[in-house]
Amino acid sequence: MGRVTVRRPVVAYARRERRSKIDTLAAEEPLELRVNGKALAVTMRTPGKDVELAHGFLLSEGVIGGLSDIAVARFCEGAGPDGVNTYNVLDITLADGVAPPDAGVERNFYTTSSCGVCGKAALDAVKLKTRFSPAADTSTVDVDVLAALPDALRERQKVFAATGGLHAAGLFTTSGDALVVREDVGRHNAVDKVLGRAVLDDRVPLAGTVLMVSGRASFELVQKAAMAGVPVLAAVSAPSSLAADLAEEQGVTLVGFLRGDSMNVYTGAERVVP
């Protein structure tokens, strides 16, 4: 079902000494996502958990609201040079009565692994309206629980430990229990895989949860959290100004620079309790 890591010979230098060795790299391959047989997007991702990625992507784009909106997910035929199916084309058939993606929110046919929002056909289509507003979620999270999440996430980053080249996203309860952790070369893909797992488990909306990400908190990650009804988004690095604006507008608690026992709460500080 695709390689998560690839072994490659390299020449390494340490203190002016040169040696040859085998290094482990995170795999990156294109995934073409089709909806009802029509190409919607191509994203560069780490192979594996592609059905989750597709479900999470469609949830965060507002195409679906839950598991019942999808009838079938299947890989299309597509062989590589060795004649083996690449599993790089996935077709999602929507359930009867579910509208296909609106042309206004379709992405250009290619998005990179580092940016899932830059391929939007129009800037006005970026700001989507959630069906599951986090603003009404009254759950709270203890600062000590938040402080423990980066280590809890890192402990589950098995591929990162081998390659050093993957982003991670994890969904936790407000008590700190891990529900699902996923890794990917694209931070938005890692989040989509987490949200897609929630869709497949019929857990959406995700009230009373914390979405923890290993990098920065961008606009698109706040949007994905809001679209799934996640009340708290925490990141080990900085948020952008637009991410903070959107979090405030959507009622998402946004935590940045979560490192050790220190953190900055940019929006929704009433949910974070000592």
Side-chain angles (χ1 to χ4, degrees):
M1 292 294 291
R3 300 166 299 176
V4 176
T5 61
V6 177
R7 304 273 285 172
R8 185 179 182 87
V10 299
V11 175
Y13 283 86
R15 296 179 181 176
R16 292 186 166 281
E17 293 184 3
R18 168 179 169 150
R19 66 186 180 93
S20 298
K21 69 172 188 175
I22 301 297
D23 196 20
T24 302
L25 304 180
E28 183 176 28
E29 295 181 11
L31 175 69
E32 179 183 329
L33 177 61
R34 300 176 183 174
V35 175
N36 295 341
K38 179 183 177 182
L40 178 65
V42 172
T43 187
M44 301 303 296
R45 95 301 188 195
T46 300
K49 310 297 183 184
D50 293 325
V51 174
E52 292 179 353
L53 192 160
H55 282 66
F57 176 86
L58 294 177
L59 174 72
S60 63
E61 291 294 326
V63 178
I64 65 171
L67 182 60
S68 62
D69 289 341
I70 290 183
V72 178
R74 67 179 183 87
F75 286 97
C76 303
E77 294 182 3
D82 55 3
V84 178
N85 195 327
T86 60
Y87 294 98
N88 283 341
V89 181
L90 182 63
D91 191 12
I92 299 291
T93 301
L94 300 176
D96 292 341
V98 178
D102 184 80
V105 298
E106 285 186 10
R107 295 167 187 261
N108 295 332
F109 195 59
Y110 173 77
T111 61
T112 71
S113 58
S114 60
C115 179
V117 83
C118 53
K120 288 286 189 180
L123 186 59
D124 290 343
V126 170
K127 209 169 187 178
L128 303 178
K129 183 175 177 61
T130 178
R131 310 181 193 188
F132 313 112
S133 174
D137 193 320
T138 59
S139 58
T140 60
V141 58
D142 191 284
V143 290
D144 290 337
V145 170
L146 285 172
L149 293 186
D151 287 343
L153 184 67
R154 183 64 178 271
E155 288 171 2
R156 292 166 174 81
Q157 291 179 248
K158 296 180 180 179
V159 183
F160 178 84
T163 66
L166 289 180
H167 295 280
L171 189 67
F172 297 83
T173 68
T174 51
S175 298
D177 298 321
L179 299 175
V180 58
V181 171
R182 293 291 182 261
E183 297 178 277
D184 199 278
V185 290
R187 59 177 174 266
H188 60 94
N189 289 337
V191 171
D192 280 342
K193 289 178 179 181
V194 165
L195 300 184
R197 184 69 260 164
V199 172
L200 289 166
D201 291 339
D202 206 14
R203 296 186 63 119
V204 177
L206 288 167
T209 60
V210 180
L211 179 62
M212 179 74 212
V213 296
S214 61
R216 64 185 179 87
S218 62
F219 171 91
E220 61 177 339
L221 297 193
V222 174
Q223 177 176 292
K224 288 178 184 296
M227 294 298 284
V230 176
V232 182
L233 172 62
V236 298
S237 193
S240 67
S241 62
L242 199 56
D245 290 345
L246 183 64
E248 186 170 39
E249 176 185 309
Q250 295 290 343
V252 175
T253 295
L254 180 60
V255 180
F257 291 109
L258 180 51
R259 302 169 184 175
D261 60 358
S262 66
M263 67 194 76
N264 292 341
V265 183
Y266 293 86
T267 62
E270 67 278 359
R271 286 198 182 99
V272 180
V273 297

